[in-house]
Amino acid sequence: MTSNESRVIRAELLSFDADPGEGDSPAEGSVRHYADGALWLENGRIKAIDDYAALAPRLPEGIETVDHRGKLVMPGFIDSHVHYVQLEIMASYGRQLLDWLNEYTFPEECGFAQRERAEVISNAFLDEMLRVGTTTAQVFCSSHPTSVEAFFSACRERDLRMLAGKVLMDRNAPEALCDDTYGGIRDTERLIGEWHGKGRLGYSLTPRFAPTSTRQQLDATGGLLRNDPSLWLQTHLSENPGELDWVAELFPESRDYLEVYEQSGLVGPRSTFAHGIHLDQEMRCRLAERGANIAFCPSSNMFLGSGLFDRLAAREVGLNITYASDIGGGTDLSGLATLKAGYQVGQLRGQPLTAWQGLYGLTLGNAKALSLDDKIGRLAPGMEADFVVIDPDGSPLLGRRHARCKTLGERLFALMMLGDDRSILETWAGGRRQHQRGQA
Ligand code: GUN
Ligand code: ZN
């Protein structure tokens, strides 16, 4: 099937036009829902969306119709922070961040100097992402340029919209993983030239976190961002108390962790800071003022015992929140599982996450915070045809629960709590069906 064909998907359709708020019911005008809808695709984009009965008379005669009545179509899920190179060290037992990095993560990432390994894991990772309905992610590769080349090549072959970057890290890690302060920057510049803006790919500058980069390397990264504001930036911030103490020791000239990044010019509207658990309100305000976003990684935060992210404190100051799996620290690639963990973290803080807010976050919310909302995140004319076909009866248990639901809100919440890869019947990206449940 090629993307320049025209076809229509008939199904229940759900998409967000705006933030639904924190209430049990979504804010007026925030949700677009068609019980019997039609999504018309052409040349890899959405041409029209409407009630089936309204659109049918406008459709060209003989157009292929994919009949998914009884299924729910939503925009493809977005994962704002994930490490593809950590796929095979998920579920490594019993450590908190710094020990976990030293014992499992750094040794694992050393293997990505080899092109063949990087290719195999890139493809395995993309298969897994599509299996759970994720069509876009912001991805950490390893510090080896070849890990980035392998990943972007695999994404290009599948015509996926992806952001990724070479990890910059010039100290405090095994030699095989550390780059040279400016050699890492030169490699980054070359990779940007080769991949940024090519097809649906974007480059995200990727200093790992403050402890593994010298001030010189962070400053040079800030220079790249200043020279080309179309780049993205991803790093980690305030995940774990041991990490905070270490940063304070390494950067005594900075008054707090965030200021380390501010002083190097790394905090801007295209910057994603993973975790941001141990922040005060003044730091949240500084992030919000710059239009940056915090990637909330609830399954990782629980797995590594990092802490309970205060989502409402971030919202209070207008700080953008994105949702992310952060595997290998996270326990699940599925966006639905991320939302389930987000709900659980929220309950422990007295701030449960509604399905409306969660599913908005996983789609349009993440797209907006990553400045991709002119391309993905909504089912709307002109948007790229990246979407997921959800089977509300995908598992026997979810089917039972689903049968009892009376409202759309109840159904979405049950999906968020009980959904998994069995709930994803198909994943489409670039107008092509790229995953079909039960087929590989
Ligand atoms: N901080 C620095 N590197 C990492 C990483 O690989 N995973 C997580 N969760 N935190 C980090
Ligand atoms: Zn991470």
Side-chain angles (χ1 to χ4, degrees), residues 281-303:
Q281 208 55 347
E282 194 259 338
M283 290 160 96
R284 293 188 187 99
C285 283
R286 281 150 57 199
L287 284 163
E289 274 164 21
R290 300 280 178 103
N293 75 88
I294 292 281
F296 176 27
C297 311
S299 80
S300 168
N301 297 162
M302 290 196 283
F303 182 75

Side-chain angles (χ1 to χ4, degrees), residues 83 86 97 100-101 105 109 208-209 236 239 275 300 304 326:
H83 304 250
Q86 296 174 12
L97 177 65
W100 177 82
L101 287 173
T105 315
E109 292 190 12
R208 176 168 218 120
F209 68 156
H236 297 89
E239 178 177 5
H275 310 297
S300 168
L304 294 174
D326 189 35

Side-chain angles (χ1 to χ4, degrees), residues 372-388:
L372 292 173
D373 54 315
D374 57 335
K375 299 180 176 69
I376 56 168
R378 279 188 307 146
L379 303 178
M383 292 287 128
E384 295 171 357
D386 292 0
F387 59 90
V388 58

Side-chain angles (χ1 to χ4, degrees), residues 15 23 41 68 81 118 128 145 174 192 202 214 219 239 254 284 296 319 321-322 369 377 384-385 393 414 417 430:
S15 176
L41 316 178
H68 275 320
H81 175 78
E128 291 296 327
I192 291 167
T214 56
D219 283 348
E239 178 177 5
S254 304
R284 293 188 187 99
F296 176 27
L319 171 52
I321 298 159
T322 55
E384 295 171 357
D393 302 315
M417 299 310 288

Side-chain angles (χ1 to χ4, degrees), residues 251-265:
F251 295 93
E253 75 282 10
S254 304
R255 85 186 131 122
D256 57 37
Y257 195 162
L258 177 58
E259 198 180 69
V260 175
Y261 295 141
E262 288 171 333
Q263 286 167 331
S264 289

